[in-house]
Coordinates of all heavy atoms in Angstrom, one line a residue:
V120 N 228.7 67.4 71.1 CA 229.8 68.3 70.7 C 230.4 67.9 69.4 O 230.8 66.7 69.3 CB 230.9 68.3 71.8 CG1 232.0 69.2 71.5 CG2 230.3 68.6 73.2
G121 N 230.5 68.8 68.5 CA 231.0 68.5 67.2 C 232.5 68.2 67.3 O 233.2 68.7 68.2
Y122 N 233.0 67.5 66.3 CA 234.5 67.2 66.3 C 235.3 68.5 66.1 O 234.8 69.4 65.3 CB 234.8 66.2 65.2 CG 234.3 64.9 65.5 CD1 233.0 64.4 65.0 CD2 235.0 64.0 66.4 CE1 232.5 63.2 65.4 CE2 234.5 62.7 66.7 CZ 233.3 62.4 66.3 OH 232.8 61.1 66.6
G123 N 236.3 68.6 66.8 CA 237.1 69.9 66.8 C 236.5 71.0 67.6 O 237.0 72.1 67.5
E124 N 235.6 70.7 68.5 CA 234.9 71.7 69.3 C 235.1 71.3 70.8 O 235.5 70.2 71.1 CB 233.5 71.8 69.0 CG 233.2 72.3 67.5 CD 231.7 72.5 67.2 OE1 230.9 72.0 68.0 OE2 231.5 73.2 66.3
V125 N 234.8 72.3 71.6 CA 234.8 72.1 73.1 C 233.4 72.6 73.7 O 232.9 73.6 73.1 CB 236.0 72.8 73.8 CG1 237.3 72.2 73.5 CG2 236.0 74.3 73.6
F126 N 233.0 72.0 74.7 CA 231.8 72.4 75.5 C 232.4 72.9 76.8 O 233.1 72.1 77.5 CB 230.8 71.3 75.7 CG 229.6 71.7 76.5 CD1 228.5 72.1 75.8 CD2 229.6 71.6 77.9 CE1 227.3 72.5 76.5 CE2 228.5 72.0 78.6 CZ 227.3 72.4 77.9
F127 N 232.0 74.0 77.3 CA 232.7 74.6 78.5 C 231.6 75.2 79.4 O 230.5 75.7 79.0 CB 233.7 75.7 78.1 CG 233.1 76.8 77.2 CD1 232.5 77.9 77.6 CD2 233.2 76.6 75.8 CE1 232.0 78.9 76.8 CE2 232.7 77.5 74.9 CZ 232.1 78.7 75.4
L128 N 231.8 75.2 80.7 CA 230.9 75.8 81.7 C 231.8 76.6 82.7 O 233.0 76.2 83.0 CB 230.2 74.7 82.5 CG 229.2 73.8 81.7 CD1 228.7 72.7 82.6 CD2 228.1 74.6 81.3
G129 N 231.2 77.5 83.3 CA 231.8 78.2 84.4 C 231.7 77.5 85.7 O 230.7 76.8 85.8
D130 N 232.6 77.6 86.6 CA 232.5 76.8 87.9 C 231.3 77.4 88.7 O 230.7 76.6 89.4 CB 233.8 76.9 88.7 CG 234.9 76.1 88.1 OD1 234.7 75.4 87.1 OD2 236.0 76.1 88.7
N131 N 231.0 78.6 88.6 CA 229.9 79.3 89.3 C 228.7 79.2 88.4 O 228.4 80.2 87.7 CB 230.2 80.7 89.7 CG 229.2 81.3 90.6 OD1 228.1 80.8 90.8 ND2 229.6 82.5 91.1
R132 N 228.0 78.1 88.4 CA 227.0 77.9 87.4 C 225.9 78.9 87.3 O 225.3 79.2 86.2 CB 226.4 76.5 87.5 CG 227.4 75.4 87.5 CD 228.0 75.2 86.1 NE 229.2 74.6 86.0 CZ 229.5 73.3 86.2 NH1 228.5 72.5 86.4 NH2 230.7 72.8 86.1
N133 N 225.5 79.5 88.4 CA 224.4 80.5 88.4 C 224.9 81.8 87.9 O 224.0 82.7 87.7 CB 223.8 80.6 89.8 CG 223.1 79.3 90.1 OD1 222.6 78.5 89.3 ND2 223.1 79.0 91.4
K134 N 226.1 82.1 87.7 CA 226.7 83.4 87.3 C 227.6 83.2 86.1 O 228.5 84.0 86.0 CB 227.4 84.1 88.4 CG 226.4 84.5 89.5 CD 227.1 85.3 90.6 CE 226.1 85.6 91.7 NZ 226.7 86.2 92.9
S135 N 227.2 82.3 85.2 CA 228.2 82.0 84.1 C 227.4 82.0 82.8 O 226.4 81.4 82.6 CB 228.8 80.7 84.3 OG 229.7 80.4 83.2
T136 N 228.0 82.8 81.8 CA 227.6 82.7 80.5 C 228.5 81.8 79.8 O 229.8 82.1 79.6 CB 227.6 84.1 79.8 OG1 226.7 85.0 80.5 CG2 227.1 84.0 78.3
D137 N 228.1 80.6 79.3 CA 229.0 79.6 78.9 C 228.4 78.8 77.7 O 227.5 79.4 77.0 CB 229.4 78.6 80.0 CG 228.2 78.2 80.9 OD1 227.2 77.9 80.3 OD2 228.4 78.2 82.1
S138 N 228.7 77.6 77.5 CA 228.2 76.8 76.3 C 226.7 76.7 76.3 O 226.0 76.4 75.3 CB 228.9 75.5 76.2 OG 230.2 75.6 75.7
R139 N 226.1 76.8 77.5 CA 224.7 76.7 77.6 C 224.0 77.8 76.9 O 222.8 77.7 76.4 CB 224.2 76.7 79.1 CG 224.8 75.5 79.9 CD 224.5 75.6 81.3 NE 225.2 76.8 81.9 CZ 225.2 77.2 83.2 NH1 224.4 76.5 84.0 NH2 225.9 78.2 83.6
V140 N 224.7 78.9 76.8 CA 224.1 80.1 76.1 C 224.9 80.4 74.8 O 224.2 80.6 73.8 CB 224.3 81.4 77.0 CG1 223.9 82.6 76.3 CG2 223.5 81.2 78.3
K141 N 226.1 80.3 74.8 CA 227.0 80.6 73.6 C 227.2 79.4 72.7 O 227.8 79.6 71.6 CB 228.3 81.2 74.1 CG 228.3 82.5 74.9 CD 227.9 83.6 74.0 CE 228.0 84.9 74.7 NZ 227.6 86.0 73.8

Side-chain angles (χ1 to χ4, degrees):
V120 182
Y122 289 96
E124 295 182 346
V125 294
F126 180 92
F127 52 90
L128 295 172
D130 287 359
N131 187 352
R132 300 291 158 78
N133 293 331
K134 294 183 180 173
S135 180
T136 302
D137 44 41
S138 284
R139 298 172 294 178
V140 175
K141 297 290 189 177

